[in-house]
Amino acid sequence: QVQLVESGGGLVQPGGSLRLSCAVSGSIFSINAMGWYRQAPGKERELVARITKNGRTNYADSVKGRFTISRDNAKNTVYLQMNSLKPEDTAVYYCNALDYYSNIYWGQGTQVTVSS
């Protein structure tokens, strides 16, 4: 089992920045990849960014050049640095983990609101 706890969401003005954190605990050794997803009201949950155990990253086209996913293995934490935020980035952001047994884990989500 893997437990994920997100933090760092909030209200920010357009053009501003936020950093989300995802604290990971449990069977960390079994994790193959970590990711951040988001879900806006009335929309489906979508992948924002992903990082594999080997450090390979990929991003949704809508956030390329603005968001950066990273991890601190010593702190068992995955981050999402979000810069140049836009109103359309407003959503609940979820941390996600995929283990080698194809189990998928989700955090509880953290709200990000971009508004003036």
Side-chain angles (χ1 to χ4, degrees):
Q1 290 289 321
V2 173
Q3 294 79 42
L4 307 172
V5 179
E6 302 102 331
S7 61
L11 173 64
V12 63
Q13 292 187 342
S17 298
L18 279 176
R19 188 177 78 160
L20 305 182
S21 300
C22 175
V24 186
S25 61
S27 301
I28 297 172
F29 64 92
S30 68
I31 295 174
N32 185 28
M34 299 277 309
W36 286 95
Y37 286 70
R38 67 186 180 187
Q39 187 166 19
K43 295 187 176 182
E44 292 187 354
R45 192 172 296 188
E46 62 175 1
L47 175 68
V48 176
R50 186 170 178 264
I51 185 166
T52 68
K53 192 162 189 174
N54 295 327
R56 184 171 297 178
T57 60
N58 62 283
Y59 298 90
D61 287 343
S62 59
V63 307
K64 281 182 181 177
R66 300 189 297 124
F67 291 12
T68 303
I69 189 170
S70 63
R71 64 186 183 201
D72 185 331
N73 292 332
K75 296 182 178 180
N76 294 329
T77 302
V78 176
Y79 302 99
L80 184 68
Q81 178 66 44
M82 305 185 294
N83 299 327
S84 302
L85 282 161
K86 305 176 181 179
E88 51 264 42
D89 295 317
T90 295
V92 178
Y93 284 70
Y94 296 92
C95 184
N96 162 279
L98 172 69
D99 70 17
Y100 286 105
Y101 309 100
S102 298
N103 296 311
I104 300 173
Y105 303 92
W106 295 97
Q108 82 286 357
T110 185
Q111 177 70 46
V112 171
T113 302
V114 184
S115 175
S116 55

